[in-house]
Amino acid sequence: MKLRINHDDSIKWKIFGSFLVFIGCVILILWLFQVFFLEQFYMYNKEKSLKSSVSQINTYLYKKASISGLSDIVNDNSLCVTVFDKTHRYTMNSDESHRCSIDNFQYEQNLYTIELLKGEALNNHGIASMRLNNDSLNLNNKSIFPYEFFSNSYLFMQDKLSNYKNKQTNSMTYLSVIYHNADSMFVVAVSTMLTPVDATIDTIKMQFIIIAIILVVIAIILALYLAQKIAKPIIKMNQSAHLLAKGSYDIQFNAHGYREIDELNATLNYAAKELAKVENLRKELIANMSHDLRTPLTMISGYGEVMRDIPGENTAENVQIIIEEANRLTNLVNDMLDLSKLQAGVQQLDASVFNLTKQIEAIIRRYDKLLTTQDFTIEFAYEQEVFVYADVIKIEQVIYNLINNAINYSGDERKVFVKQTITNDYVMISVVDHGSGIEKSQLPYIWDRYYKVDKTHVRSKVGSGLGLSIVKSVLELHKAQYGVKSEQAEGTCFWFKLKISKDIT
């Protein structure tokens, strides 16, 4: 099956495009905040600062009833202030070199507005204020100012930010009334100069265009570099993975990049190594199973032909050989079927409480009759009988396979030792042989379905050669603990544990 790859969806171009989109969003945000909304931000901050200054002046005059001390507030906040009382006019500028718009303010011409603020001040602890337009400073006393009230009790001129764009606007002014009583009242006009921002915006625009071009060029270079840096090892691994999928298990994944890519390399190399191992074991299994199947079939066919063609060879001994080889062939096929079912998870446990000790004794008695002529001995040691809750047929299969394995590798001593020990609520069954043992490096693999410690296949004396895989599958089906201990030239011990049943009814 040939894989179809859409090159338009290449990770390299997706990373490149995503990075460019990100840079474009950054440039757009900078443009909006640094250029497009600059004037609005400037006017907002100026108004906020002026409000705070007006509040300080009003509070000071209301408490002190004197203009002495206002110069500090005026100078600190760059203000122009004109204060009227009943008989005097006081003007204070933070910078005498410029002319403030409130120099045109006339007390007499704005009496109507002042009366409005005075009425508001009577209801607002003696203080009221409104913001004026520059064109409103010299209106006659018949003028009526539109206004709206805010939660802080200031009375402001209704004027949207859009009005600030009028190029004749060069200052921002507030008018306040501080009313103590009929004999004591201050009228305060507070103004701050507004710096024209058009020239500043033009300068920033030019700088921004230059900076944006530089950023875009750097972003393109960086995006190409990162896309290449990330995508190149992935593309290389993908090419190697195609070879792995075709069966080239000796392939090496050696692309280098970020930590995650290196970790993926290591994982794929491990997968390739394991697949190669499984493939080799599969080939060995086919060869070994072919040998095991061919041997009994050859003997059955050979003895059958002898009995047919040669007079006097139709003896009980020859018939027995044919029966034994047929049984061996049947056992081999049954073991293969059992192992496939166990590993596929289709076999279920038929658990019940039974006497494990008696069951082992019965199995060993059967072996005694089978191995009498071969000078084999099987010893069984235990202190007391135990009952377990398990599938009796499958546990018998485990014990048979462990004893068969011990017989096949028992060595010259020709003795197998079976031991039953009890620890807390568990019984442990150990099957020990005194053969050549297993190398420690081989121990983790002996339970594998295709694994064989001795690479030179020799026909088993007893059993099919699939015993340990069956043992592993059955014990895992019972959720039992199991393991192996071995020393070279000293033999091997296979063991498993089952929970002791208290119910022996």
Side-chain angles (χ1 to χ4, degrees):
M1 178 179 176
K2 187 175 180 179
L3 297 176
R4 298 181 61 186
I5 301 175
N6 185 359
H7 294 283
D8 294 335
D9 293 333
S10 171
I11 185 173
K12 178 171 68 176
W13 296 114
K14 283 195 172 184
I15 294 172
F16 178 76
S18 300
F19 197 81
L20 287 186
V21 170
F22 170 74
I23 291 298
C25 293
V26 171
I27 292 175
L28 177 62
I29 292 171
L30 289 175
W31 172 269
L32 291 175
F33 281 87
Q34 294 295 319
V35 178
F36 191 77
F37 293 119
L38 178 62
E39 186 174 0
Q40 285 86 336
F41 288 145
Y42 173 74
M43 298 303 296
Y44 172 78
N45 287 329
K46 272 292 187 180
E47 183 172 11
K48 184 178 178 181
S49 176
L50 186 57
K51 280 183 185 181
S52 177
S53 300
V54 170
S55 177
Q56 293 180 47
I57 293 171
N58 290 347
T59 302
Y60 180 84
L61 291 175
Y62 185 78
K63 291 181 178 180
K64 304 291 185 179
S66 170
I67 65 170
S68 61
L70 283 181
S71 58
D72 292 338
I73 301 176
V74 172
N75 293 326
D76 291 344
N77 296 280
S78 301
L79 303 175
C80 298
V81 178
T82 297
V83 181
F84 296 89
D85 60 15
K86 275 194 169 185
T87 58
H88 297 87
R89 168 177 175 155
Y90 308 94
T91 299
M92 290 166 283
N93 295 337
S94 60
D95 185 357
E96 296 293 344
S97 65
H98 64 75
R99 180 179 176 81
C100 292
S101 58
I102 61 170
D103 290 342
N104 299 321
F105 183 81
Q106 299 297 323
Y107 179 87
E108 296 82 3
Q109 292 179 348
N110 291 278
L111 286 176
Y112 184 77
T113 304
I114 293 168
E115 286 299 320
L116 284 176
L117 290 175
K118 178 181 174 182
E120 173 63 19
L122 290 172
N123 299 317
N124 188 41
H125 307 291
I127 300 175
S129 298
M130 70 163 54
R131 211 196 69 211
L132 303 177
N133 287 331
N134 287 337
D135 298 333
S136 303
L137 297 175
N138 294 306
L139 296 177
N140 58 42
N141 57 3
K142 293 183 180 180
S143 299
I144 300 177
F145 285 76
Y147 56 86
E148 59 184 5
F149 294 93
F150 289 82
S151 60
N152 59 4
S153 300
Y154 279 66
L155 183 61
F156 293 107
M157 181 70 186
Q158 186 177 9
D159 184 16
K160 304 301 181 184
L161 286 175
S162 59
N163 293 332
Y164 295 152
K165 294 184 178 180
N166 186 341
K167 293 185 179 180
Q168 296 179 352
T169 300
N170 58 5
S171 67
M172 188 181 295
T173 305
Y174 275 86
L175 179 64
S176 300
V177 170
I178 297 92
Y179 184 83
H180 290 273
N181 51 55
D183 297 324
S184 177
M185 183 181 75
F186 291 98
V187 177
V188 183
V190 184
S191 179
T192 185
M193 297 300 296
L194 298 177
T195 302
V197 296
D198 291 346
T200 303
I201 291 176
D202 290 339
T203 303
I204 293 176
K205 282 181 180 178
M206 181 60 66
Q207 291 180 340
F208 187 84
I209 291 172
I210 296 172
I211 292 172
I213 293 173
I214 295 173
L215 281 176
V216 168
V217 172
I218 294 174
I220 290 174
I221 295 173
L222 186 59
L224 285 172
Y225 170 76
L226 288 177
Q228 187 73 6
K229 179 76 172 175
I230 296 174
K232 186 176 180 180
I234 295 177
I235 293 171
K236 190 174 180 180
M237 282 191 293
N238 184 53
Q239 293 171 348
S240 299
H242 278 290
L243 296 175
L244 179 64
K246 293 178 181 179
S248 299
Y249 300 121
D250 57 344
I251 192 72
Q252 286 293 317
F253 293 85
N254 52 13
H256 297 289
Y258 297 103
R259 184 184 66 183
E260 289 78 4
I261 292 176
D262 292 338
E263 290 176 352
L264 181 57
N265 267 332
T267 302
L268 290 173
N269 281 325
Y270 176 76
K273 181 180 177 182
E274 292 301 309
L275 286 172
K277 185 188 299 182
V278 170
E279 178 64 15
N280 291 333
L281 293 175
R282 183 184 66 83
K283 292 177 180 178
E284 288 181 12
L285 175 74
I286 292 174
N288 294 341
M289 294 303 295
S290 298
H291 179 273
D292 283 340
L293 288 170
R294 184 171 60 247
T295 301
L297 288 173
T298 300
M299 294 189 69
I300 290 172
S301 175
Y303 275 91
E305 290 176 357
V306 167
M307 293 169 64
R308 180 195 65 189
D309 299 334
I310 301 176
E313 289 296 325
N314 191 6
T315 63
E317 290 80 4
N318 290 342
V319 172
Q320 183 61 36
I321 292 173
I322 293 175
I323 293 172
E324 289 177 357
E325 294 301 324
N327 289 336
R328 184 184 294 275
L329 186 60
T330 301
N331 291 336
L332 178 61
V333 173
N334 288 338
D335 283 350
M336 293 175 65
L337 290 174
D338 288 344
L339 182 59
S340 297
K341 290 179 181 178
L342 286 167
Q343 294 189 339
V346 297
Q347 282 204 356
Q348 302 295 323
L349 289 177
D350 183 16
S352 61
V353 177
F354 65 93
N355 189 322
L356 178 62
T357 310
K358 293 292 186 184
Q359 206 69 35
I360 295 173
E361 287 181 332
I363 292 171
I364 293 174
R365 281 197 297 271
R366 295 173 202 151
Y367 273 104
D368 286 341
K369 295 180 180 179
L370 181 65
L371 301 175
T372 300
T373 59
Q374 300 181 27
D375 197 25
F376 261 98
T377 59
I378 302 176
E379 296 182 4
F380 179 38
Y382 65 93
E383 293 182 357
Q384 65 182 66
E385 296 181 2
V386 294
F387 287 78
V388 296
Y389 180 76
D391 188 320
V392 60
I393 296 176
K394 289 183 172 57
I395 294 300
E396 280 187 352
Q397 196 174 19
V398 167
I399 297 169
Y400 268 117
N401 281 310
L402 290 180
I403 294 176
N404 287 347
N405 185 76
I407 291 172
N408 290 333
Y409 297 98
S410 61
D412 296 334
E413 191 170 334
R414 307 176 74 80
K415 180 184 290 186
V416 175
F417 183 65
V418 181
K419 185 177 181 181
Q420 172 187 289
T421 55
I422 298 174
T423 305
N424 297 327
D425 294 332
Y426 289 86
V427 56
M428 183 171 77
I429 304 300
S430 304
V431 180
V432 182
D433 65 63
H434 297 87
S436 59
I438 305 171
E439 294 181 13
K440 290 189 180 297
S441 60
Q442 305 292 325
L443 289 177
Y445 306 107
I446 62 173
W447 306 99
D448 292 350
R449 181 176 182 178
Y450 304 128
Y451 196 79
K452 187 174 180 64
V453 175
D454 184 4
K455 299 302 179 182
T456 304
H457 182 71
V458 179
R459 187 185 184 198
S460 301
K461 300 180 182 68
V462 183
S464 64
L466 296 175
L468 293 182
S469 295
I470 294 174
V471 168
K472 174 186 175 183
S473 299
V474 169
L475 293 176
E476 287 181 351
L477 191 62
H478 282 82
K479 295 182 173 54
Q481 299 178 51
Y482 63 93
V484 57
K485 296 180 288 185
S486 183
E487 294 290 341
Q488 284 191 285
E490 295 184 10
T492 304
C493 171
F494 287 89
W495 60 269
F496 66 92
K497 287 184 180 180
L498 293 174
K499 189 174 179 62
I500 298 174
S501 175
K502 303 298 183 182
D503 183 11
I504 58 175
T505 57

